Amino acid sequence: QEYSFRFQSSDPAGNANFILQQGWTESVAEMSDGRIEIELLPVETIVAHNETQDAIAAGILDGHVTDTSYFAGKDAAFGLIANPVGAWSDPQEMFDFMNEGGGNELMNELLEPYGLHFIGATTPGLEAFVSAVPLEGVDDLEGLKMRAPEGLVQQVFAAAGAAPVNLPGSEVFTSLDKNVIDAADYSVFSTNQAQGLHDVAPHPVYPGFHSMPLVEVSMNLDAWNSLPEDLQQVMTDSVQQFAQSQVAALKEADEAAVAEAQAGGEITVHDWPAEERNRFRSIAMGEWEKVAERSENARMVYDTLTGYLADNGMLE
Amino acid sequence: MSDPTAETSHVGAEAPRDEGAPVPEAGLLGRLIDKGGLIFALGIVAAMLILIQEVFLRYVFNAPTIWAHETTVFLCGIAFIYGGLYCTARDRHIRVVLIYDALGPRMRRTFDVVISIICALASLMFTWAAWTMVARAAFAPGGEVRLERSGSAWNPPYPGMLKIFLMLVLGVMAVQFVILAVSYARRGR
Amino acid sequence: MELFGILKDLGIEQSTLLMFAMLLLLLVTGIPLAFVTLLVALVFALGWFGPMAVPLITSRVYSFVSSFVFVSVPMFVLMAAILDRSGIARDLFDAMRLVGGRLRGGVAIQTILVAVILAAMSGIIGGEIVLLGLIALPQMLRLGYDRSLAIGVVCAGGALGTMVPPSIVLIIYGLTANVSIGDLFTAAFVPGFMLAGFYVVYVLVRAYLNPALAPVAEGPQPTRAEKLHLLKGLFLPILVVIGVLGSIYGGIASVTEASAVGVLGVTLSTIVRGEFTLTLMKNAALQTLQTVGMIVWIGIGATALVGVFNLMGGIDFVKTLITGISDNPTIVLIFMMALLFILGMFLDWVGIALLTMPIFVPIIRDLGYDPIWFGVLFCMNMQMSFLSPPFGPAAFYLKSVAPPEIGLGHIFRALLPFIAMQALALAVLITFPGIAMY
Ligand code: NA
Ligand code: NA
């Protein structure tokens, strides 16, 4: 091959996302007739999940497949574009924004100063919410002790009346098991099911209402510029295809896992009615505004996003 | 060498204990590092108290804070980093002395000098590497100063502070190893 | 001559051997341990890639020290340092000797029991071994126990922390292999107790074969009043244990937070006993700073080395080692275990998990083995890695607090029979999977 790149994923090796991402590297090899080879490494193998951006800029890694919100500490804009809680009720809505609403250009405007090129977006889809107690709507969030990840998601839950607890992913299981927390933002339904979270928290909310992360595929800007145009096109196209196949594959896995969970009889899957989802969304949008105050870039993301949503009649 | 921290404690039935001290070869810097240890040691105690109050607020009042865990991690993180420097000044890093112990006093000095020089060079290299990290954590791409934050709802600048602190400690560590090398070399003559 | 990249020409196989040789060589020269691994990481970062790769080391150092799970380490060490400065530990062991009565090795067996209780409180081993090393080791030596036996009980007992839930090893394995952490915890429970049982039997056999190794209390039986007085020594420690375990299992505190509850407990105990002074607290905190400085920096070096080895293509290298080894599943499994053991001599368990799990777990599934069971095997194998020379973290942790006359050579020699027992437990678990998969 002519080009050989090393990418790091933000998912661990056995995770369904990682396995699908490996499929993407294979399709890149195929689509480029073997001219590009990508070695995909699991999370933490070279640097920590939230250090890949620096490592790519420094040339230690060539690229990453990672949740953009891990870089919210670098610029609040990353946090807002990565997970505008409540904006999307379906992965395709986000992809449309990225491709036609200026999202891709926005991402590159944010990333290129850091020495990265944004190739494309994917997502595991709407995450499911893990809960040990039945939750039927926003009112049930009042006082709920829940683990939320960094950033906007946590802020939104706090605004909705929950009591977010900072916990690392590695302590989610034991803390749910021992009722230190009642609920947690974790991953998609099938992953939650595989890792046994529903055994200790049998009231998942599915489909989720709170989070659909933007997972960026991006690489070192110089390395990108060194690629001839046809190979750049291969990279871009392959990510687009991958995003579609990942969403489809995970949806299928989620549905199978939901069926399995319901057949088991010990897990109750809760589905929020549309009005409760709308209530949560309007709480979330109040928080976007606050994030927009944090940096000029965040304001730019806010304006682009709300402009797009308004143009497409997606704001009430 | 008098130990600034070894005040006798009359505790239980135990005899007054040796609380350790910086090695004489560490010089003035070593004594300063040793004194500074108290700040970070108290940081660990503070981290403990913060965790307790967090448990209390969450369990009793159902009101967890948004700052306790991040602050605890930060306090422990700076203690971990400083602890390495503290052990350097006290020569308390664990060493395998299999060969070292079999050497005569002259060779031991030579070993001490060479080891200190090697460690100084390594620390210097790591200081530079930490600087490249700080350059991304303390400055925005445009060049204006902005500390990297955690990205949480509370969003403290702990990551940026911790990276700067790591760089500073590595730099001081390099200097400490140079001082040790010089002291050992002088004693050897 | 261009030095940067020169190691790359050697290839990964030669470089791996060179790396292990260099680790060994630098280790015996007396360079501080943390710097041995950091130096090797630096040499390979420069020699394989050049200066641009060096920031990877500081990035890993930063991530390592800012990780929430390590917060429990200073808490356990602080607990130990306070206990060590009060009379609590002494009274506890006097009482334990009384409870142990005329049973040979009674105090060592009770120490193993204490280790199991600690294991239920903590998911990582650093703090536990320091705690046992500061408290149990000097007390066993005071009571006339054989030094090697006492060292082995402390290190092997402390390492049980990852066999008994909660366990960070099992959690990381569960995340990597995408299997249920609860199932892993359940599966590891009995094997953990089995291993502790092996240690108990070993202590009994050694003590009865050679009574000099574990003296029992001589002289007249203490009077009732004396007995009651001695037993008071058990009261406060048991209260602290109830407080910590109660806060975890009662859903009051997370595992990490519970370690702070433990510190509060022992501090209150010293106050109750009238031993508390600000000087005591200050000195305990300073000792904590020094001890975590030692043990965290060992971890810092290890994490740096792993990052560099992975960047060199370590994962691919492990893959080439394992592919085509045999068609016989048992041989593949045993080869994996042997590889884990060898890696365990030199690398930290997190590094081993990162290197091997992406390759091993899919193979294990293909061979038709249960990944949960394999997780328990992995965890058991890592028990050995904590103890095995030349890089045995448990030995280093103990050394950081042991009396200066106890050298690393003594510690490693004392650990050999315990490593053999861990290997035996692993073999039993492979032969009778039902022990984990009941
Ligand atoms: Na444990
Ligand atoms: Na080892």
Side-chain angles (χ1 to χ4, degrees):
Chain A
Q1 75 288 338
E2 295 163 46
Y3 299 93
S4 162
F5 298 127
R6 190 182 281 117
F7 277 53
Q8 186 174 300
S9 164
S10 55
D11 290 301
N15 186 287
N17 290 316
F18 184 79
I19 294 162
L20 292 166
Q21 290 156 15
Q22 278 181 318
W24 165 68
T25 67
E26 283 158 27
S27 78
V28 169
E30 205 173 296
M31 288 166 72
S32 67
D33 295 320
R35 289 166 67 197
I36 305 179
E37 183 192 57
I38 295 176
E39 181 193 3
L40 185 71
L41 296 163
V43 67
E44 318 277 328
T45 36
I46 308 295
V47 292
H49 65 280
N50 54 2
E51 287 279 303
T52 50
Q53 198 186 64
D54 281 2
I56 293 167
I60 294 168
L61 288 169
D62 297 304
H64 61 182
V65 183
T66 192
D67 186 336
T68 301
S69 52
Y70 292 144
F71 309 105
K74 283 268 169 68
D75 188 333
F78 290 119
L80 186 56
I81 196 166
N83 211 340
V85 179
W88 321 121
S89 43
D90 182 270
Q92 195 54 46
E93 288 181 10
M94 181 181 88
F95 294 148
D96 288 345
F97 166 70
M98 295 307 289
N99 294 329
E100 289 138 36
N104 287 339
E105 293 74 14
L106 195 56
M107 272 304 281
N108 263 321
E109 209 167 318
L110 295 177
L111 275 179
E112 281 182 1
Y114 287 89
L116 274 75
H117 175 82
F118 175 74
I119 305 169
T122 179
T123 181
L126 268 179
E127 293 192 344
F129 195 63
V130 181
S131 178
V133 294
L135 301 174
E136 303 297 352
V138 174
D139 290 340
D140 293 338
L141 295 177
E142 188 62 43
L144 185 78
K145 277 183 274 199
M146 56 154 306
R147 181 259 181 180
E150 295 136 356
L152 188 55
V153 180
Q154 201 179 61
Q155 233 168 299
V156 173
F157 273 106
V165 178
N166 267 322
L167 276 182
S170 59
E171 270 197 43
V172 169
F173 182 87
T174 36
S175 298
L176 276 172
D177 187 23
K178 304 293 184 283
N179 302 320
V180 175
I181 51 174
D182 310 310
D185 163 280
Y186 199 68
S187 186
V188 294
F189 192 93
S190 50
T191 301
N192 298 344
Q193 173 84 357
Q195 295 190 0
L197 280 126
H198 297 147
D199 300 336
V200 292
H203 292 281
V205 181
Y206 172 87
F209 55 91
H210 66 295
S211 163
M212 193 179 80
L214 165 66
V215 173
E216 67 176 69
V217 184
S218 49
M219 65 185 285
N220 181 287
L221 185 58
D222 295 334
W224 170 262
N225 288 333
S226 75
L227 283 174
E229 229 165 89
D230 60 323
L231 290 184
Q232 288 181 344
Q233 197 58 46
V234 164
M235 292 293 279
T236 311
D237 292 347
S238 67
V239 172
Q240 295 258 355
Q241 289 178 18
F242 163 62
Q244 295 297 338
S245 62
Q246 181 184 20
V247 167
L250 289 177
K251 190 157 188 244
E252 198 178 318
D254 276 358
E255 280 164 2
V258 170
E260 179 201 294
Q262 281 171 332
E266 288 177 10
I267 298 163
T268 317
V269 181
H270 301 257
D271 183 4
W272 280 17
E275 57 267 33
E276 289 302 322
R277 290 173 185 270
N278 287 343
R279 273 183 72 198
F280 191 79
R281 175 187 302 207
S282 56
I283 295 170
M285 288 175 53
E287 298 302 308
W288 298 2
E289 179 79 58
K290 292 182 191 158
V291 176
E293 302 296 320
R294 285 186 173 177
S295 79
E296 270 172 50
N297 282 336
R299 169 61 60 186
M300 181 172 73
V301 170
Y302 178 84
D303 290 343
T304 313
L305 190 64
T306 47
Y308 174 83
L309 291 173
D311 289 349
N312 289 275
M314 291 163 82
L315 295 176
E316 287 98 322
Chain B
M1 174 110 304
S2 74
D3 176 7
T5 65
E7 290 148 45
T8 19
S9 51
H10 303 281
V11 162
E14 310 291 324
R17 50 192 303 145
D18 177 19
E19 300 284 357
V23 290
E25 290 85 351
L28 176 64
L29 180 64
R31 293 196 292 279
L32 288 175
I33 291 169
D34 202 71
K35 281 226 193 302
L38 189 59
I39 300 169
F40 300 92
L42 292 179
I44 295 174
V45 177
M48 183 271 284
L49 294 172
I50 291 172
L51 282 177
I52 298 284
Q53 69 98 53
E54 176 70 4
V55 171
F56 190 74
L57 287 179
R58 186 181 62 229
Y59 190 73
V60 180
F61 296 105
N62 212 39
T65 70
I66 54 171
W67 54 270
H69 281 130
E70 284 181 288
T71 305
T72 306
V73 170
F74 177 72
L75 288 172
C76 290
I78 55 173
F80 293 158
I81 296 171
Y82 195 86
L85 182 62
Y86 190 73
C87 289
T88 303
R90 295 182 152 221
D91 192 20
R92 286 304 300 269
H93 276 297
I94 293 165
R95 301 164 65 169
V96 177
V97 286
L98 208 67
I99 290 180
Y100 184 88
D101 270 358
L103 299 172
R106 251 188 97 86
M107 274 304 277
R108 273 196 202 181
R109 283 296 151 224
T110 315
F111 262 63
D112 283 336
V113 173
V114 174
I115 288 172
S116 301
I117 291 174
I118 291 176
C119 290
L121 287 174
S123 305
L124 203 63
M125 190 76 203
F126 292 136
T127 311
W128 167 78
W131 158 248
T132 68
M133 188 164 76
V134 168
R136 295 176 208 283
F139 303 98
E144 65 274 20
V145 177
R146 72 99 181 77
L147 278 186
E148 181 178 347
R149 293 174 172 272
S150 75
S152 69
W154 185 41
N155 209 20
Y158 287 154
M161 288 162 69
L162 201 58
K163 286 176 179 178
I164 293 172
F165 185 72
L166 176 62
M167 178 185 73
L168 293 176
V169 166
L170 287 167
V172 176
M173 196 179 265
V175 177
Q176 177 68 91
F177 275 121
V178 170
I179 292 174
L180 285 170
V182 171
S183 306
Y184 288 133
R186 279 209 187 125
R187 275 235 259 154
R189 267 188 275 128
Chain C
M1 195 180 70
E2 182 62 84
L3 279 176
F4 302 137
I6 197 167
L7 287 171
K8 197 171 186 172
D9 302 335
L10 281 180
I12 183 77
E13 197 168 315
Q14 302 279 333
S15 292
T16 307
L17 286 176
L18 183 67
M19 183 181 272
F20 286 175
M22 201 185 276
L23 278 172
L24 208 61
L25 185 78
L26 290 181
L27 187 72
V28 293
T29 55
I31 296 182
L33 236 162
F35 285 87
V36 171
T37 32
L38 276 171
L39 267 175
V40 175
L42 181 60
V43 166
F44 278 83
L46 288 173
W48 188 285
F49 303 100
M52 47 70 70
V54 180
L56 137 66
I57 297 175
T58 42
S59 167
R60 285 191 79 93
V61 172
Y62 160 75
S63 304
F64 187 84
V65 298
S66 52
S67 150
F68 184 69
V69 288
F70 291 122
V71 167
S72 70
V73 174
M75 296 306 140
F76 267 88
V77 177
L78 184 56
M79 215 186 302
I82 296 171
L83 283 172
D84 182 34
R85 280 169 175 71
S86 72
I88 299 174
R90 189 186 185 92
D91 291 355
L92 172 68
F93 274 80
D94 283 339
M96 277 166 54
R97 176 152 68 167
L98 187 70
V99 174
R102 304 264 154 180
L103 180 69
R104 290 245 165 240
V107 174
I109 290 167
Q110 290 174 81
T111 302
I112 295 170
L113 186 74
V114 170
V116 172
I117 294 171
L118 286 176
M121 295 180 187
S122 151
I124 41 181
I125 65 164
E128 269 181 77
I129 288 173
V130 166
L131 197 134
L132 289 170
L134 267 178
I135 309 308
L137 184 63
Q139 296 299 333
M140 279 195 277
L141 297 181
R142 176 176 67 90
L143 299 177
Y145 272 68
D146 175 63
R147 192 169 69 178
S148 294
L149 194 66
I151 290 171
V153 162
V154 164
C155 283
L160 282 173
T162 61
M163 264 329 276
V164 177
S167 152
I168 191 77
V169 175
L170 290 172
I171 289 174
I172 298 288
Y173 177 87
L175 295 179
T176 313
N178 205 36
V179 294
S180 163
I181 293 157
D183 289 353
L184 283 168
F185 281 0
T186 314
F189 208 72
V190 174
F193 276 98
M194 178 181 78
L195 187 56
F198 284 8
Y199 299 157
V200 169
V201 171
Y202 174 76
V203 168
L204 281 175
V205 170
R206 289 290 310 275
Y208 276 92
L209 288 180
N210 181 2
L213 296 180
V216 291
E218 303 294 340
Q221 282 281 353
T223 64
R224 242 184 103 94
E226 280 170 338
K227 271 188 184 170
L228 266 178
H229 180 76
L230 279 171
L231 282 176
K232 265 165 71 182
L234 288 174
F235 182 69
L236 285 172
I238 287 178
L239 219 57
V240 173
V241 165
I242 291 174
V244 175
L245 285 182
S247 66
I248 294 177
Y249 293 90
I252 297 168
S254 74
V255 178
T256 305
E257 290 165 343
S259 59
V261 174
V263 180
L264 182 71
V266 297
T267 309
L268 291 177
S269 302
T270 57
I271 293 174
V272 168
R273 293 169 55 100
E275 292 170 339
F276 181 85
T277 62
L278 283 178
T279 312
L280 177 144
M281 205 62 197
K282 184 184 102 179
N283 287 336
L286 281 168
Q287 187 188 355
T288 306
L289 181 71
Q290 176 174 307
T291 306
V292 296
M294 287 186 232
I295 69 183
V296 168
W297 276 71
I298 291 171
I300 282 177
T303 187
L305 187 63
V306 163
V308 174
F309 189 56
N310 282 341
L311 193 65
M312 286 161 57
I315 295 182
D316 260 357
F317 175 57
V318 174
K319 194 185 270 173
T320 57
L321 284 179
I322 200 89
T323 35
I325 200 80
S326 168
D327 290 334
N328 183 332
T330 315
I331 292 178
V332 175
L333 185 74
I334 289 169
F335 185 77
M336 283 179 179
M337 288 300 133
L339 204 58
L340 289 176
F341 178 78
I342 293 168
L343 290 172
M345 292 166 65
F346 292 93
L347 299 179
D348 184 59
W349 72 266
V350 181
I352 299 172
L354 284 173
L355 265 178
T356 58
M357 287 310 116
I359 301 151
F360 284 10
V361 175
I363 296 177
I364 281 297
R365 285 186 209 261
D366 288 346
L367 292 177
Y369 288 121
D370 187 329
I372 299 276
W373 172 68
F374 188 72
V376 182
L377 294 187
F378 176 70
C379 196
M380 191 65 97
N381 208 311
M382 291 304 105
Q383 293 285 303
M384 292 193 279
S385 84
F386 296 140
L387 269 51
S388 63
F391 281 82
F396 301 147
Y397 299 158
L398 182 65
K399 173 66 191 152
S400 73
V401 290
E405 65 271 16
I406 295 181
L408 273 171
H410 299 132
I411 299 180
F412 277 126
R413 244 171 287 139
L415 294 182
L416 292 178
F418 288 86
I419 298 172
M421 276 183 277
Q422 293 167 336
L424 177 68
L426 186 62
V428 169
L429 209 53
I430 292 175
T431 321
F432 306 104
I435 295 170
M437 312 309 297
Y438 44 88

PDB file of all heavy atoms in Angstrom, chain C residues 119-120 122-123 160-162 164-167, ligand 1:
ATOM      1  N   ALA C 119     -10.185  -7.037  50.526  1.00  0.00           N
ATOM      2  CA  ALA C 119     -10.437  -7.258  49.100  1.00  0.00           C
ATOM      3  C   ALA C 119     -11.876  -6.911  48.746  1.00  0.00           C
ATOM      4  O   ALA C 119     -12.151  -6.463  47.639  1.00  0.00           O
ATOM      5  CB  ALA C 119     -10.129  -8.701  48.723  1.00  0.00           C
ATOM      6  N   ALA C 120     -12.764  -7.122  49.701  1.00  0.00           N
ATOM      7  CA  ALA C 120     -14.168  -6.795  49.448  1.00  0.00           C
ATOM      8  C   ALA C 120     -14.410  -5.293  49.496  1.00  0.00           C
ATOM      9  O   ALA C 120     -15.475  -4.811  49.133  1.00  0.00           O
ATOM     10  CB  ALA C 120     -15.065  -7.498  50.457  1.00  0.00           C
ATOM     11  N   SER C 122     -12.037  -3.033  48.218  1.00  0.00           N
ATOM     12  CA  SER C 122     -11.225  -2.291  47.267  1.00  0.00           C
ATOM     13  C   SER C 122     -11.069  -3.075  45.984  1.00  0.00           C
ATOM     14  O   SER C 122     -11.140  -4.298  45.968  1.00  0.00           O
ATOM     15  CB  SER C 122      -9.858  -2.023  47.882  1.00  0.00           C
ATOM     16  OG  SER C 122      -8.880  -1.934  46.886  1.00  0.00           O
ATOM     17  N   GLY C 123     -10.894  -2.357  44.892  1.00  0.00           N
ATOM     18  CA  GLY C 123     -10.782  -3.021  43.604  1.00  0.00           C
ATOM     19  C   GLY C 123      -9.372  -3.081  43.065  1.00  0.00           C
ATOM     20  O   GLY C 123      -9.098  -3.757  42.095  1.00  0.00           O
ATOM     21  N   LEU C 160      -5.108 -10.491  46.447  1.00  0.00           N
ATOM     22  CA  LEU C 160      -6.461 -11.047  46.318  1.00  0.00           C
ATOM     23  C   LEU C 160      -7.494  -9.954  46.009  1.00  0.00           C
ATOM     24  O   LEU C 160      -8.581 -10.248  45.540  1.00  0.00           O
ATOM     25  CB  LEU C 160      -6.884 -11.740  47.610  1.00  0.00           C
ATOM     26  CG  LEU C 160      -6.322 -13.129  47.865  1.00  0.00           C
ATOM     27  CD1 LEU C 160      -6.702 -13.593  49.255  1.00  0.00           C
ATOM     28  CD2 LEU C 160      -6.822 -14.109  46.825  1.00  0.00           C
ATOM     29  N   GLY C 161      -7.120  -8.705  46.295  1.00  0.00           N
ATOM     30  CA  GLY C 161      -8.026  -7.586  46.056  1.00  0.00           C
ATOM     31  C   GLY C 161      -8.676  -7.588  44.691  1.00  0.00           C
ATOM     32  O   GLY C 161      -9.794  -7.098  44.526  1.00  0.00           O
ATOM     33  N   THR C 162      -7.998  -8.123  43.684  1.00  0.00           N
ATOM     34  CA  THR C 162      -8.608  -8.116  42.358  1.00  0.00           C
ATOM     35  C   THR C 162      -9.343  -9.422  42.044  1.00  0.00           C
ATOM     36  O   THR C 162     -10.015  -9.512  41.035  1.00  0.00           O
ATOM     37  CB  THR C 162      -7.563  -7.860  41.252  1.00  0.00           C
ATOM     38  OG1 THR C 162      -6.610  -8.902  41.281  1.00  0.00           O
ATOM     39  CG2 THR C 162      -6.865  -6.549  41.464  1.00  0.00           C
ATOM     40  N   VAL C 164     -11.431 -10.859  44.400  1.00  0.00           N
ATOM     41  CA  VAL C 164     -12.701 -10.732  45.110  1.00  0.00           C
ATOM     42  C   VAL C 164     -13.373  -9.437  44.635  1.00  0.00           C
ATOM     43  O   VAL C 164     -12.749  -8.394  44.632  1.00  0.00           O
ATOM     44  CB  VAL C 164     -12.452 -10.694  46.638  1.00  0.00           C
ATOM     45  CG1 VAL C 164     -13.748 -10.483  47.381  1.00  0.00           C
ATOM     46  CG2 VAL C 164     -11.746 -11.954  47.094  1.00  0.00           C
ATOM     47  N   PRO C 165     -14.628  -9.496  44.220  1.00  0.00           N
ATOM     48  CA  PRO C 165     -15.312  -8.270  43.791  1.00  0.00           C
ATOM     49  C   PRO C 165     -15.356  -7.244  44.925  1.00  0.00           C
ATOM     50  O   PRO C 165     -15.464  -7.661  46.077  1.00  0.00           O
ATOM     51  CB  PRO C 165     -16.724  -8.742  43.460  1.00  0.00           C
ATOM     52  CG  PRO C 165     -16.662 -10.226  43.435  1.00  0.00           C
ATOM     53  CD  PRO C 165     -15.472 -10.665  44.214  1.00  0.00           C
ATOM     54  N   PRO C 166     -15.336  -5.970  44.637  1.00  0.00           N
ATOM     55  CA  PRO C 166     -15.133  -5.345  43.331  1.00  0.00           C
ATOM     56  C   PRO C 166     -13.690  -5.473  42.840  1.00  0.00           C
ATOM     57  O   PRO C 166     -12.787  -5.565  43.670  1.00  0.00           O
ATOM     58  CB  PRO C 166     -15.462  -3.877  43.616  1.00  0.00           C
ATOM     59  CG  PRO C 166     -15.154  -3.687  45.057  1.00  0.00           C
ATOM     60  CD  PRO C 166     -15.464  -4.987  45.729  1.00  0.00           C
ATOM     61  N   SER C 167     -13.518  -5.515  41.541  1.00  0.00           N
ATOM     62  CA  SER C 167     -12.188  -5.711  40.996  1.00  0.00           C
ATOM     63  C   SER C 167     -12.028  -4.912  39.724  1.00  0.00           C
ATOM     64  O   SER C 167     -12.793  -5.077  38.781  1.00  0.00           O
ATOM     65  CB  SER C 167     -11.974  -7.194  40.701  1.00  0.00           C
ATOM     66  OG  SER C 167     -11.049  -7.353  39.651  1.00  0.00           O
TER      67      SER C 167
HETATM   68 NA    NA D   1     -11.737  -6.465  45.462  1.00  0.00          NA
END
